[in-house]
Amino acid sequence: MGTLQVGDKAPDFTLPDQTGKKVTLSEVLAEKVVVLYFYPKDNTRGCTAEACSFRDSYENFADAGAEVIGVSSDTVASHETFAGRNALPFVLLSDAGRVVRRQYGAASLGLVPGRVTFVIDRDGTVRHVFSSVLNIGPHIEEALKVVRELHAA
């Protein structure tokens, strides 16, 4: 299956966050737009830079009515350490079997899991997709632009 595209329905899922609490996408969408970003691995240079960029823009996302959620195959314990070390104000979900990653088509490049960001509106429709392993900045910039457009509508 390929990457979900704009206009596709986002598959619902439930995964544990960095505290072990179960988070269900549809429950979050009942309250807010979701910026769902898949990343390769906790505590790596690129993933730390991306997480910190989302952290630094988190208030802007929140002000526009969105929740940021990061997903990787790392363990709950790894996410807890990563979130604490970097003062991340958003949840990180543990997709240990990469089931959700596959549902969303957040492909891998060889052995490295891909870096893909989705903006999902409150109806569960994908409104934006950005995929780039190396070009981290646009993940945040483009997602925030779409979230603001949805908020203004």
Side-chain angles (χ1 to χ4, degrees), residues 37 47-57 82 86-88 90:
Y37 82 96
C47 295
T48 300
E50 181 179 30
C52 290
S53 291
F54 272 115
R55 175 200 66 206
D56 295 347
S57 295
F82 184 55
N86 295 291
L88 303 181
F90 51 86

Side-chain angles (χ1 to χ4, degrees), residues 4-103:
L4 289 178
Q5 300 297 312
V6 171
D8 290 345
K9 276 295 186 189
D12 198 16
F13 61 83
T14 301
L15 291 172
D17 72 7
Q18 66 264 38
T19 68
K21 177 184 166 220
K22 300 283 187 191
V23 175
T24 300
L25 177 64
S26 57
E27 291 175 3
V28 180
L29 288 172
E31 303 291 324
K32 298 178 176 196
V33 168
V34 170
V35 176
L36 184 70
Y37 82 96
F38 290 85
Y39 65 99
K41 186 142 183 67
D42 291 343
N43 301 305
T44 58
R45 198 174 105 212
C47 295
T48 300
E50 181 179 30
C52 290
S53 291
F54 272 115
R55 175 200 66 206
D56 295 347
S57 295
Y58 183 75
E59 239 178 81
N60 294 326
F61 283 105
D63 288 347
E67 185 57 57
V68 174
I69 299 175
V71 181
S72 81
S73 60
D74 290 304
T75 65
V76 167
S78 176
H79 282 341
E80 183 178 34
T81 301
F82 184 55
R85 181 178 294 147
N86 295 291
L88 303 181
F90 51 86
V91 298
L92 299 177
L93 301 180
S94 178
D95 183 21
R98 296 186 181 176
V99 172
V100 175
R101 177 179 284 280
R102 283 193 294 278
Q103 287 178 320

Side-chain angles (χ1 to χ4, degrees), residues 33-36 117-121 125-128 143 146-147 150:
V33 168
V34 170
V35 176
L36 184 70
T117 300
F118 298 89
V119 175
I120 305 165
D121 70 16
T125 302
V126 175
R127 300 298 293 268
H128 177 74
V146 171
V147 166
L150 290 172

